[in-house]
Amino acid sequence: MSGRRESDANANAVAFGERFAAGQAVGLSCLALVCWSMVVNGGRVFPLVCCSLVLLLSLGFRRRAAWDAGTTRRAAEDERDARFVSLGDRAFRIFATVLVAVYALAFAMPGVRAWLLAEGLRPAGVPLAGLMLAHAAAHAVVWRAYVRDRQ
Amino acid sequence: MSGTPIANEIRRLRFDHGEMTQQALADACRVTRQTIIALEAGRYAPSLELAFRIARTFGVGVEDVFRWAR
């Protein structure tokens, strides 16, 4: 009976949004690590440019991935996915606000300011890595929401 | 997002309509199959628009599909 087959397949029914959030959470975390090691600690320009470009391009990743997933007549996302994404948006606002506030406060502390200004690209690399972590955390929140909803 | 006071008859209506698959219903309503799964499991309350789309797909009224369960 088709209903039984569908029930059996339900356990494997992973939404596009969940796959995307998981991929982005892992990918952006790795990119933040690369940024931290090569820009913040290494002071290299090329990784800074690459990380910045990837972050800019990431604004279009979802649309591109949704287009890939929805090339047939089927919908890749709907109103339920929008609810999960809104959780991620809220989490990103919180993480980004905390990040910028802490970064600004760090400049008020002489020891931390000296460390930040000791390397030419460090003042740019730290917020860039932090922003990528904020994105990754927001995607992780969406991913967790999908997983909790399936259980 | 788990648990909703709105119960529904989607599973029964699917079987009454020639064992319509979840994917077929999802395609007809322009949503994902995961949303149909969540609806049938009672984990998601649809928007008014989606509720009307589902009811129209089955050719019945909204109150024939959804009801307040608590």
Side-chain angles (χ1 to χ4, degrees), chain A residues 1-3 6 10 13-15 73-76 78-80 83-84 87 149, chain B residues 1 14-15 19 21-23 27 31-35 37-38 43-44 46-47 50:
Chain A
M1 203 162 138
S2 65
E6 282 187 340
N10 284 353
V14 178
R73 62 195 165 81
R74 289 176 181 163
D78 57 28
E79 61 182 43
R80 182 170 155 271
R83 287 176 66 176
F84 290 122
L87 290 176
D149 189 68
Chain B
M1 262 182 230
R14 280 199 301 114
F15 281 85
E19 295 197 3
T21 63
Q22 291 171 333
Q23 187 63 63
D27 292 341
V31 295
T32 63
R33 184 175 158 235
Q34 284 79 16
T35 294
I37 292 168
R43 296 196 314 263
Y44 178 64
S47 68
L50 177 55

PDB file of all heavy atoms in Angstrom, chain A residues 1-3 6 10 13-15 73-76 78-80 83-84 87 149, chain B residues 1 14-15 19 21-23 27 31-35 37-38 43-44 46-47 50:
ATOM      1  N   MET A   1       0.849  -1.198   0.000  1.00  0.00           N
ATOM      2  CA  MET A   1       0.000   0.000   0.000  1.00  0.00           C
ATOM      3  C   MET A   1       0.876   1.236   0.000  1.00  0.00           C
ATOM      4  O   MET A   1       1.887   1.308   0.681  1.00  0.00           O
ATOM      5  CB  MET A   1      -0.856  -0.034   1.272  1.00  0.00           C
ATOM      6  CG  MET A   1      -2.099   0.774   1.175  1.00  0.00           C
ATOM      7  SD  MET A   1      -3.226   0.221   2.482  1.00  0.00           S
ATOM      8  CE  MET A   1      -3.833   1.763   3.056  1.00  0.00           C
ATOM      9  N   SER A   2       0.505   2.214  -0.804  1.00  0.00           N
ATOM     10  CA  SER A   2       1.377   3.385  -0.959  1.00  0.00           C
ATOM     11  C   SER A   2       1.539   4.143   0.351  1.00  0.00           C
ATOM     12  O   SER A   2       2.588   4.708   0.616  1.00  0.00           O
ATOM     13  CB  SER A   2       0.828   4.307  -2.038  1.00  0.00           C
ATOM     14  OG  SER A   2      -0.421   4.825  -1.634  1.00  0.00           O
ATOM     15  N   GLY A   3       0.480   4.146   1.172  1.00  0.00           N
ATOM     16  CA  GLY A   3       0.568   4.849   2.449  1.00  0.00           C
ATOM     17  C   GLY A   3       1.652   4.266   3.339  1.00  0.00           C
ATOM     18  O   GLY A   3       2.395   4.982   3.988  1.00  0.00           O
ATOM     19  N   GLU A   6       5.010   5.274   2.045  1.00  0.00           N
ATOM     20  CA  GLU A   6       5.292   6.669   2.396  1.00  0.00           C
ATOM     21  C   GLU A   6       5.691   6.791   3.854  1.00  0.00           C
ATOM     22  O   GLU A   6       6.607   7.527   4.187  1.00  0.00           O
ATOM     23  CB  GLU A   6       4.076   7.530   2.115  1.00  0.00           C
ATOM     24  CG  GLU A   6       3.926   7.844   0.642  1.00  0.00           C
ATOM     25  CD  GLU A   6       2.818   8.842   0.411  1.00  0.00           C
ATOM     26  OE1 GLU A   6       1.966   8.991   1.297  1.00  0.00           O
ATOM     27  OE2 GLU A   6       2.822   9.468  -0.646  1.00  0.00           O
ATOM     28  N   ASN A  10       9.150   8.289   5.408  1.00  0.00           N
ATOM     29  CA  ASN A  10       9.110   9.549   6.143  1.00  0.00           C
ATOM     30  C   ASN A  10      10.378   9.813   6.931  1.00  0.00           C
ATOM     31  O   ASN A  10      10.811  10.943   7.074  1.00  0.00           O
ATOM     32  CB  ASN A  10       7.912   9.567   7.100  1.00  0.00           C
ATOM     33  CG  ASN A  10       6.621   9.811   6.350  1.00  0.00           C
ATOM     34  OD1 ASN A  10       6.631  10.090   5.167  1.00  0.00           O
ATOM     35  ND2 ASN A  10       5.516   9.682   7.050  1.00  0.00           N
ATOM     36  N   ALA A  13      12.841  11.535   4.886  1.00  0.00           N
ATOM     37  CA  ALA A  13      12.405  12.735   4.175  1.00  0.00           C
ATOM     38  C   ALA A  13      13.063  13.969   4.787  1.00  0.00           C
ATOM     39  O   ALA A  13      12.576  14.522   5.757  1.00  0.00           O
ATOM     40  CB  ALA A  13      10.886  12.857   4.238  1.00  0.00           C
ATOM     41  N   VAL A  14      14.197  14.347   4.232  1.00  0.00           N
ATOM     42  CA  VAL A  14      14.919  15.519   4.718  1.00  0.00           C
ATOM     43  C   VAL A  14      14.634  16.675   3.777  1.00  0.00           C
ATOM     44  O   VAL A  14      14.796  16.557   2.558  1.00  0.00           O
ATOM     45  CB  VAL A  14      16.434  15.246   4.787  1.00  0.00           C
ATOM     46  CG1 VAL A  14      17.184  16.477   5.241  1.00  0.00           C
ATOM     47  CG2 VAL A  14      16.708  14.087   5.728  1.00  0.00           C
ATOM     48  N   ALA A  15      14.198  17.799   4.345  1.00  0.00           N
ATOM     49  CA  ALA A  15      13.813  18.947   3.536  1.00  0.00           C
ATOM     50  C   ALA A  15      15.035  19.621   2.926  1.00  0.00           C
ATOM     51  O   ALA A  15      16.147  19.528   3.462  1.00  0.00           O
ATOM     52  CB  ALA A  15      13.051  19.946   4.405  1.00  0.00           C
ATOM     53  N   ARG A  73       8.761  20.540 -11.338  1.00  0.00           N
ATOM     54  CA  ARG A  73       7.570  21.334 -11.001  1.00  0.00           C
ATOM     55  C   ARG A  73       7.339  21.386  -9.499  1.00  0.00           C
ATOM     56  O   ARG A  73       6.460  22.074  -9.018  1.00  0.00           O
ATOM     57  CB  ARG A  73       6.340  20.744 -11.710  1.00  0.00           C
ATOM     58  CG  ARG A  73       6.040  19.332 -11.267  1.00  0.00           C
ATOM     59  CD  ARG A  73       5.068  18.635 -12.213  1.00  0.00           C
ATOM     60  NE  ARG A  73       5.054  17.213 -11.981  1.00  0.00           N
ATOM     61  CZ  ARG A  73       4.382  16.628 -11.019  1.00  0.00           C
ATOM     62  NH1 ARG A  73       3.669  17.341 -10.199  1.00  0.00           N
ATOM     63  NH2 ARG A  73       4.418  15.322 -10.869  1.00  0.00           N
ATOM     64  N   ARG A  74       8.129  20.621  -8.724  1.00  0.00           N
ATOM     65  CA  ARG A  74       7.909  20.562  -7.289  1.00  0.00           C
ATOM     66  C   ARG A  74       8.493  21.780  -6.567  1.00  0.00           C
ATOM     67  O   ARG A  74       9.524  22.310  -6.971  1.00  0.00           O
ATOM     68  CB  ARG A  74       8.551  19.300  -6.713  1.00  0.00           C
ATOM     69  CG  ARG A  74       7.792  18.065  -7.136  1.00  0.00           C
ATOM     70  CD  ARG A  74       8.455  16.811  -6.670  1.00  0.00           C
ATOM     71  NE  ARG A  74       7.674  15.666  -7.130  1.00  0.00           N
ATOM     72  CZ  ARG A  74       8.134  14.432  -7.172  1.00  0.00           C
ATOM     73  NH1 ARG A  74       9.364  14.178  -6.778  1.00  0.00           N
ATOM     74  NH2 ARG A  74       7.364  13.459  -7.594  1.00  0.00           N
ATOM     75  N   ALA A  75       7.825  22.158  -5.470  1.00  0.00           N
ATOM     76  CA  ALA A  75       8.305  23.271  -4.656  1.00  0.00           C
ATOM     77  C   ALA A  75       9.468  22.806  -3.790  1.00  0.00           C
ATOM     78  O   ALA A  75       9.421  21.719  -3.215  1.00  0.00           O
ATOM     79  CB  ALA A  75       7.173  23.773  -3.767  1.00  0.00           C
ATOM     80  N   ALA A  76      10.519  23.620  -3.722  1.00  0.00           N
ATOM     81  CA  ALA A  76      11.653  23.276  -2.864  1.00  0.00           C
ATOM     82  C   ALA A  76      11.433  23.808  -1.447  1.00  0.00           C
ATOM     83  O   ALA A  76      11.912  23.233  -0.475  1.00  0.00           O
ATOM     84  CB  ALA A  76      12.942  23.834  -3.437  1.00  0.00           C
ATOM     85  N   ASP A  78       8.519  26.231   1.192  1.00  0.00           N
ATOM     86  CA  ASP A  78       7.180  26.784   1.345  1.00  0.00           C
ATOM     87  C   ASP A  78       7.077  27.551   2.661  1.00  0.00           C
ATOM     88  O   ASP A  78       8.099  27.898   3.270  1.00  0.00           O
ATOM     89  CB  ASP A  78       6.123  25.671   1.253  1.00  0.00           C
ATOM     90  CG  ASP A  78       6.348  24.574   2.300  1.00  0.00           C
ATOM     91  OD1 ASP A  78       6.917  24.891   3.361  1.00  0.00           O
ATOM     92  OD2 ASP A  78       5.954  23.427   2.066  1.00  0.00           O
ATOM     93  N   GLU A  79       5.846  27.794   3.106  1.00  0.00           N
ATOM     94  CA  GLU A  79       5.639  28.620   4.306  1.00  0.00           C
ATOM     95  C   GLU A  79       6.254  28.015   5.567  1.00  0.00           C
ATOM     96  O   GLU A  79       6.686  28.737   6.463  1.00  0.00           O
ATOM     97  CB  GLU A  79       4.141  28.848   4.514  1.00  0.00           C
ATOM     98  CG  GLU A  79       3.368  27.538   4.740  1.00  0.00           C
ATOM     99  CD  GLU A  79       1.874  27.760   4.892  1.00  0.00           C
ATOM    100  OE1 GLU A  79       1.328  28.559   4.118  1.00  0.00           O
ATOM    101  OE2 GLU A  79       1.275  27.131   5.787  1.00  0.00           O
ATOM    102  N   ARG A  80       6.272  26.686   5.640  1.00  0.00           N
ATOM    103  CA  ARG A  80       6.858  26.040   6.827  1.00  0.00           C
ATOM    104  C   ARG A  80       8.368  26.290   6.876  1.00  0.00           C
ATOM    105  O   ARG A  80       8.926  26.576   7.938  1.00  0.00           O
ATOM    106  CB  ARG A  80       6.556  24.536   6.787  1.00  0.00           C
ATOM    107  CG  ARG A  80       7.073  23.773   7.978  1.00  0.00           C
ATOM    108  CD  ARG A  80       6.516  22.351   7.992  1.00  0.00           C
ATOM    109  NE  ARG A  80       7.397  21.474   8.731  1.00  0.00           N
ATOM    110  CZ  ARG A  80       8.414  20.809   8.185  1.00  0.00           C
ATOM    111  NH1 ARG A  80       8.656  20.917   6.895  1.00  0.00           N
ATOM    112  NH2 ARG A  80       9.172  20.036   8.921  1.00  0.00           N
ATOM    113  N   ARG A  83       9.201  29.685   8.183  1.00  0.00           N
ATOM    114  CA  ARG A  83       9.179  29.806   9.654  1.00  0.00           C
ATOM    115  C   ARG A  83      10.525  29.414  10.249  1.00  0.00           C
ATOM    116  O   ARG A  83      11.021  30.056  11.171  1.00  0.00           O
ATOM    117  CB  ARG A  83       8.065  28.929  10.242  1.00  0.00           C
ATOM    118  CG  ARG A  83       6.686  29.499  10.001  1.00  0.00           C
ATOM    119  CD  ARG A  83       5.611  28.581  10.498  1.00  0.00           C
ATOM    120  NE  ARG A  83       5.622  28.431  11.949  1.00  0.00           N
ATOM    121  CZ  ARG A  83       4.716  27.737  12.616  1.00  0.00           C
ATOM    122  NH1 ARG A  83       3.731  27.150  11.972  1.00  0.00           N
ATOM    123  NH2 ARG A  83       4.777  27.641  13.922  1.00  0.00           N
ATOM    124  N   PHE A  84      11.112  28.341   9.727  1.00  0.00           N
ATOM    125  CA  PHE A  84      12.430  27.916  10.223  1.00  0.00           C
ATOM    126  C   PHE A  84      13.490  28.971   9.888  1.00  0.00           C
ATOM    127  O   PHE A  84      14.350  29.278  10.712  1.00  0.00           O
ATOM    128  CB  PHE A  84      12.825  26.567   9.613  1.00  0.00           C
ATOM    129  CG  PHE A  84      12.004  25.413  10.112  1.00  0.00           C
ATOM    130  CD1 PHE A  84      11.292  24.616   9.241  1.00  0.00           C
ATOM    131  CD2 PHE A  84      11.948  25.122  11.466  1.00  0.00           C
ATOM    132  CE1 PHE A  84      10.536  23.553   9.699  1.00  0.00           C
ATOM    133  CE2 PHE A  84      11.193  24.066  11.944  1.00  0.00           C
ATOM    134  CZ  PHE A  84      10.483  23.276  11.054  1.00  0.00           C
ATOM    135  N   LEU A  87      13.602  31.850  12.203  1.00  0.00           N
ATOM    136  CA  LEU A  87      14.327  31.573  13.455  1.00  0.00           C
ATOM    137  C   LEU A  87      15.809  31.866  13.271  1.00  0.00           C
ATOM    138  O   LEU A  87      16.467  32.432  14.148  1.00  0.00           O
ATOM    139  CB  LEU A  87      14.146  30.106  13.862  1.00  0.00           C
ATOM    140  CG  LEU A  87      12.771  29.653  14.340  1.00  0.00           C
ATOM    141  CD1 LEU A  87      12.781  28.153  14.593  1.00  0.00           C
ATOM    142  CD2 LEU A  87      12.381  30.390  15.610  1.00  0.00           C
ATOM    143  N   ASP A 149      11.985  19.281  14.801  1.00  0.00           N
ATOM    144  CA  ASP A 149      10.625  19.145  14.269  1.00  0.00           C
ATOM    145  C   ASP A 149      10.378  17.742  13.720  1.00  0.00           C
ATOM    146  O   ASP A 149       9.251  17.247  13.757  1.00  0.00           O
ATOM    147  CB  ASP A 149      10.393  20.184  13.165  1.00  0.00           C
ATOM    148  CG  ASP A 149       8.942  20.215  12.741  1.00  0.00           C
ATOM    149  OD1 ASP A 149       8.106  20.639  13.564  1.00  0.00           O
ATOM    150  OD2 ASP A 149       8.630  19.795  11.612  1.00  0.00           O
TER     151      ASP A 149
ATOM    152  N   MET B   1       8.089  24.336  17.656  1.00  0.00           N
ATOM    153  CA  MET B   1       7.078  24.317  16.618  1.00  0.00           C
ATOM    154  C   MET B   1       6.276  23.029  16.635  1.00  0.00           C
ATOM    155  O   MET B   1       5.507  22.726  15.749  1.00  0.00           O
ATOM    156  CB  MET B   1       7.736  24.458  15.249  1.00  0.00           C
ATOM    157  CG  MET B   1       7.703  25.848  14.718  1.00  0.00           C
ATOM    158  SD  MET B   1       8.435  25.896  13.118  1.00  0.00           S
ATOM    159  CE  MET B   1       9.569  27.227  13.309  1.00  0.00           C
ATOM    160  N   ARG B  14      -6.862  11.726   1.689  1.00  0.00           N
ATOM    161  CA  ARG B  14      -5.960  11.241   0.626  1.00  0.00           C
ATOM    162  C   ARG B  14      -6.374   9.853   0.182  1.00  0.00           C
ATOM    163  O   ARG B  14      -6.427   9.550  -1.013  1.00  0.00           O
ATOM    164  CB  ARG B  14      -4.516  11.202   1.124  1.00  0.00           C
ATOM    165  CG  ARG B  14      -3.809  12.531   1.107  1.00  0.00           C
ATOM    166  CD  ARG B  14      -2.293  12.389   1.157  1.00  0.00           C
ATOM    167  NE  ARG B  14      -1.793  11.691   2.325  1.00  0.00           N
ATOM    168  CZ  ARG B  14      -1.187  10.504   2.290  1.00  0.00           C
ATOM    169  NH1 ARG B  14      -1.032   9.872   1.132  1.00  0.00           N
ATOM    170  NH2 ARG B  14      -0.754   9.934   3.398  1.00  0.00           N
ATOM    171  N   PHE B  15      -6.670   8.998   1.163  1.00  0.00           N
ATOM    172  CA  PHE B  15      -7.044   7.628   0.809  1.00  0.00           C
ATOM    173  C   PHE B  15      -8.418   7.572   0.166  1.00  0.00           C
ATOM    174  O   PHE B  15      -8.668   6.735  -0.697  1.00  0.00           O
ATOM    175  CB  PHE B  15      -6.947   6.719   2.040  1.00  0.00           C
ATOM    176  CG  PHE B  15      -5.547   6.326   2.336  1.00  0.00           C
ATOM    177  CD1 PHE B  15      -4.722   7.140   3.093  1.00  0.00           C
ATOM    178  CD2 PHE B  15      -5.018   5.158   1.802  1.00  0.00           C
ATOM    179  CE1 PHE B  15      -3.411   6.791   3.336  1.00  0.00           C
ATOM    180  CE2 PHE B  15      -3.693   4.804   2.035  1.00  0.00           C
ATOM    181  CZ  PHE B  15      -2.893   5.620   2.806  1.00  0.00           C
ATOM    182  N   GLU B  19      -6.155   6.946  -2.958  1.00  0.00           N
ATOM    183  CA  GLU B  19      -4.839   6.783  -2.334  1.00  0.00           C
ATOM    184  C   GLU B  19      -3.829   7.792  -2.898  1.00  0.00           C
ATOM    185  O   GLU B  19      -2.732   7.432  -3.324  1.00  0.00           O
ATOM    186  CB  GLU B  19      -4.324   5.355  -2.506  1.00  0.00           C
ATOM    187  CG  GLU B  19      -5.178   4.327  -1.784  1.00  0.00           C
ATOM    188  CD  GLU B  19      -4.461   2.989  -1.602  1.00  0.00           C
ATOM    189  OE1 GLU B  19      -3.294   2.895  -1.985  1.00  0.00           O
ATOM    190  OE2 GLU B  19      -5.105   2.069  -1.084  1.00  0.00           O
ATOM    191  N   THR B  21      -0.988  10.209  -3.164  1.00  0.00           N
ATOM    192  CA  THR B  21       0.271  10.216  -2.401  1.00  0.00           C
ATOM    193  C   THR B  21       0.503  11.583  -1.759  1.00  0.00           C
ATOM    194  O   THR B  21      -0.082  12.589  -2.175  1.00  0.00           O
ATOM    195  CB  THR B  21       1.474   9.904  -3.305  1.00  0.00           C
ATOM    196  OG1 THR B  21       1.584  10.943  -4.288  1.00  0.00           O
ATOM    197  CG2 THR B  21       1.318   8.552  -3.978  1.00  0.00           C
ATOM    198  N   GLN B  22       1.365  11.590  -0.753  1.00  0.00           N
ATOM    199  CA  GLN B  22       1.724  12.862  -0.103  1.00  0.00           C
ATOM    200  C   GLN B  22       2.357  13.811  -1.112  1.00  0.00           C
ATOM    201  O   GLN B  22       2.103  15.010  -1.098  1.00  0.00           O
ATOM    202  CB  GLN B  22       2.706  12.601   1.054  1.00  0.00           C
ATOM    203  CG  GLN B  22       2.084  11.886   2.227  1.00  0.00           C
ATOM    204  CD  GLN B  22       3.111  11.448   3.247  1.00  0.00           C
ATOM    205  OE1 GLN B  22       4.271  11.218   2.912  1.00  0.00           O
ATOM    206  NE2 GLN B  22       2.691  11.314   4.491  1.00  0.00           N
ATOM    207  N   GLN B  23       3.180  13.247  -2.010  1.00  0.00           N
ATOM    208  CA  GLN B  23       3.850  14.099  -2.994  1.00  0.00           C
ATOM    209  C   GLN B  23       2.839  14.705  -3.965  1.00  0.00           C
ATOM    210  O   GLN B  23       2.961  15.879  -4.344  1.00  0.00           O
ATOM    211  CB  GLN B  23       4.893  13.282  -3.761  1.00  0.00           C
ATOM    212  CG  GLN B  23       5.767  14.125  -4.685  1.00  0.00           C
ATOM    213  CD  GLN B  23       6.605  15.148  -3.930  1.00  0.00           C
ATOM    214  OE1 GLN B  23       7.443  14.791  -3.129  1.00  0.00           O
ATOM    215  NE2 GLN B  23       6.362  16.432  -4.174  1.00  0.00           N
ATOM    216  N   ASP B  27       2.342  18.629  -4.457  1.00  0.00           N
ATOM    217  CA  ASP B  27       2.454  19.284  -5.760  1.00  0.00           C
ATOM    218  C   ASP B  27       1.195  20.088  -6.078  1.00  0.00           C
ATOM    219  O   ASP B  27       1.270  21.192  -6.610  1.00  0.00           O
ATOM    220  CB  ASP B  27       2.700  18.244  -6.859  1.00  0.00           C
ATOM    221  CG  ASP B  27       4.080  17.602  -6.732  1.00  0.00           C
ATOM    222  OD1 ASP B  27       4.949  18.189  -6.050  1.00  0.00           O
ATOM    223  OD2 ASP B  27       4.269  16.514  -7.303  1.00  0.00           O
ATOM    224  N   VAL B  31       3.390  22.997  -2.121  1.00  0.00           N
ATOM    225  CA  VAL B  31       4.232  22.964  -0.911  1.00  0.00           C
ATOM    226  C   VAL B  31       5.143  21.740  -1.013  1.00  0.00           C
ATOM    227  O   VAL B  31       5.056  20.964  -1.960  1.00  0.00           O
ATOM    228  CB  VAL B  31       3.387  22.882   0.384  1.00  0.00           C
ATOM    229  CG1 VAL B  31       2.568  24.139   0.569  1.00  0.00           C
ATOM    230  CG2 VAL B  31       2.494  21.649   0.394  1.00  0.00           C
ATOM    231  N   THR B  32       6.002  21.576  -0.020  1.00  0.00           N
ATOM    232  CA  THR B  32       6.896  20.417  -0.023  1.00  0.00           C
ATOM    233  C   THR B  32       6.208  19.226   0.632  1.00  0.00           C
ATOM    234  O   THR B  32       5.257  19.385   1.413  1.00  0.00           O
ATOM    235  CB  THR B  32       8.197  20.713   0.745  1.00  0.00           C
ATOM    236  OG1 THR B  32       7.863  20.981   2.109  1.00  0.00           O
ATOM    237  CG2 THR B  32       8.913  21.915   0.158  1.00  0.00           C
ATOM    238  N   ARG B  33       6.715  18.037   0.304  1.00  0.00           N
ATOM    239  CA  ARG B  33       6.147  16.826   0.908  1.00  0.00           C
ATOM    240  C   ARG B  33       6.363  16.833   2.414  1.00  0.00           C
ATOM    241  O   ARG B  33       5.535  16.316   3.172  1.00  0.00           O
ATOM    242  CB  ARG B  33       6.803  15.587   0.284  1.00  0.00           C
ATOM    243  CG  ARG B  33       6.205  14.307   0.791  1.00  0.00           C
ATOM    244  CD  ARG B  33       6.758  13.083   0.103  1.00  0.00           C
ATOM    245  NE  ARG B  33       6.531  11.941   0.980  1.00  0.00           N
ATOM    246  CZ  ARG B  33       7.476  11.129   1.402  1.00  0.00           C
ATOM    247  NH1 ARG B  33       8.705  11.297   1.016  1.00  0.00           N
ATOM    248  NH2 ARG B  33       7.180  10.136   2.205  1.00  0.00           N
ATOM    249  N   GLN B  34       7.466  17.438   2.854  1.00  0.00           N
ATOM    250  CA  GLN B  34       7.749  17.487   4.292  1.00  0.00           C
ATOM    251  C   GLN B  34       6.650  18.239   5.037  1.00  0.00           C
ATOM    252  O   GLN B  34       6.333  17.923   6.187  1.00  0.00           O
ATOM    253  CB  GLN B  34       9.098  18.164   4.551  1.00  0.00           C
ATOM    254  CG  GLN B  34      10.298  17.281   4.249  1.00  0.00           C
ATOM    255  CD  GLN B  34      10.606  17.213   2.764  1.00  0.00           C
ATOM    256  OE1 GLN B  34      10.134  18.032   1.987  1.00  0.00           O
ATOM    257  NE2 GLN B  34      11.396  16.241   2.369  1.00  0.00           N
ATOM    258  N   THR B  35       6.075  19.242   4.396  1.00  0.00           N
ATOM    259  CA  THR B  35       4.990  19.998   5.033  1.00  0.00           C
ATOM    260  C   THR B  35       3.740  19.123   5.175  1.00  0.00           C
ATOM    261  O   THR B  35       3.065  19.167   6.210  1.00  0.00           O
ATOM    262  CB  THR B  35       4.683  21.265   4.211  1.00  0.00           C
ATOM    263  OG1 THR B  35       5.824  22.121   4.290  1.00  0.00           O
ATOM    264  CG2 THR B  35       3.479  22.004   4.754  1.00  0.00           C
ATOM    265  N   ILE B  37       3.781  15.895   5.453  1.00  0.00           N
ATOM    266  CA  ILE B  37       4.124  14.940   6.516  1.00  0.00           C
ATOM    267  C   ILE B  37       3.904  15.582   7.889  1.00  0.00           C
ATOM    268  O   ILE B  37       3.305  14.982   8.791  1.00  0.00           O
ATOM    269  CB  ILE B  37       5.594  14.471   6.364  1.00  0.00           C
ATOM    270  CG1 ILE B  37       5.761  13.623   5.102  1.00  0.00           C
ATOM    271  CG2 ILE B  37       6.048  13.684   7.598  1.00  0.00           C
ATOM    272  CD1 ILE B  37       7.214  13.359   4.720  1.00  0.00           C
ATOM    273  N   ALA B  38       4.385  16.826   8.032  1.00  0.00           N
ATOM    274  CA  ALA B  38       4.248  17.532   9.316  1.00  0.00           C
ATOM    275  C   ALA B  38       2.776  17.802   9.636  1.00  0.00           C
ATOM    276  O   ALA B  38       2.353  17.695  10.796  1.00  0.00           O
ATOM    277  CB  ALA B  38       5.034  18.840   9.277  1.00  0.00           C
ATOM    278  N   ARG B  43       2.115  18.238  13.587  1.00  0.00           N
ATOM    279  CA  ARG B  43       3.229  19.052  14.087  1.00  0.00           C
ATOM    280  C   ARG B  43       3.207  20.460  13.521  1.00  0.00           C
ATOM    281  O   ARG B  43       4.024  21.293  13.901  1.00  0.00           O
ATOM    282  CB  ARG B  43       4.577  18.408  13.727  1.00  0.00           C
ATOM    283  CG  ARG B  43       4.847  17.071  14.356  1.00  0.00           C
ATOM    284  CD  ARG B  43       6.327  16.731  14.245  1.00  0.00           C
ATOM    285  NE  ARG B  43       6.874  16.964  12.928  1.00  0.00           N
ATOM    286  CZ  ARG B  43       7.030  16.033  11.994  1.00  0.00           C
ATOM    287  NH1 ARG B  43       6.673  14.796  12.228  1.00  0.00           N
ATOM    288  NH2 ARG B  43       7.537  16.338  10.817  1.00  0.00           N
ATOM    289  N   TYR B  44       2.308  20.718  12.592  1.00  0.00           N
ATOM    290  CA  TYR B  44       2.323  22.022  11.932  1.00  0.00           C
ATOM    291  C   TYR B  44       0.897  22.498  11.651  1.00  0.00           C
ATOM    292  O   TYR B  44       0.067  21.724  11.175  1.00  0.00           O
ATOM    293  CB  TYR B  44       3.120  21.925  10.620  1.00  0.00           C
ATOM    294  CG  TYR B  44       3.150  23.202   9.834  1.00  0.00           C
ATOM    295  CD1 TYR B  44       3.751  24.341  10.345  1.00  0.00           C
ATOM    296  CD2 TYR B  44       2.565  23.281   8.570  1.00  0.00           C
ATOM    297  CE1 TYR B  44       3.776  25.523   9.632  1.00  0.00           C
ATOM    298  CE2 TYR B  44       2.586  24.454   7.851  1.00  0.00           C
ATOM    299  CZ  TYR B  44       3.190  25.574   8.379  1.00  0.00           C
ATOM    300  OH  TYR B  44       3.212  26.750   7.684  1.00  0.00           O
ATOM    301  N   PRO B  46      -1.238  24.930   9.355  1.00  0.00           N
ATOM    302  CA  PRO B  46      -1.022  25.645   8.090  1.00  0.00           C
ATOM    303  C   PRO B  46      -1.566  27.065   8.135  1.00  0.00           C
ATOM    304  O   PRO B  46      -2.385  27.412   8.992  1.00  0.00           O
ATOM    305  CB  PRO B  46      -1.812  24.805   7.089  1.00  0.00           C
ATOM    306  CG  PRO B  46      -2.929  24.267   7.895  1.00  0.00           C
ATOM    307  CD  PRO B  46      -2.364  24.001   9.257  1.00  0.00           C
ATOM    308  N   SER B  47      -1.094  27.875   7.199  1.00  0.00           N
ATOM    309  CA  SER B  47      -1.673  29.202   7.034  1.00  0.00           C
ATOM    310  C   SER B  47      -3.090  29.035   6.483  1.00  0.00           C
ATOM    311  O   SER B  47      -3.463  27.968   5.979  1.00  0.00           O
ATOM    312  CB  SER B  47      -0.833  30.017   6.052  1.00  0.00           C
ATOM    313  OG  SER B  47      -0.941  29.464   4.747  1.00  0.00           O
ATOM    314  N   LEU B  50      -2.954  28.021   2.799  1.00  0.00           N
ATOM    315  CA  LEU B  50      -2.658  26.605   2.545  1.00  0.00           C
ATOM    316  C   LEU B  50      -3.844  25.731   2.938  1.00  0.00           C
ATOM    317  O   LEU B  50      -4.151  24.757   2.248  1.00  0.00           O
ATOM    318  CB  LEU B  50      -1.394  26.183   3.315  1.00  0.00           C
ATOM    319  CG  LEU B  50      -1.007  24.706   3.195  1.00  0.00           C
ATOM    320  CD1 LEU B  50      -0.864  24.295   1.727  1.00  0.00           C
ATOM    321  CD2 LEU B  50       0.276  24.433   3.949  1.00  0.00           C
TER     322      LEU B  50
END
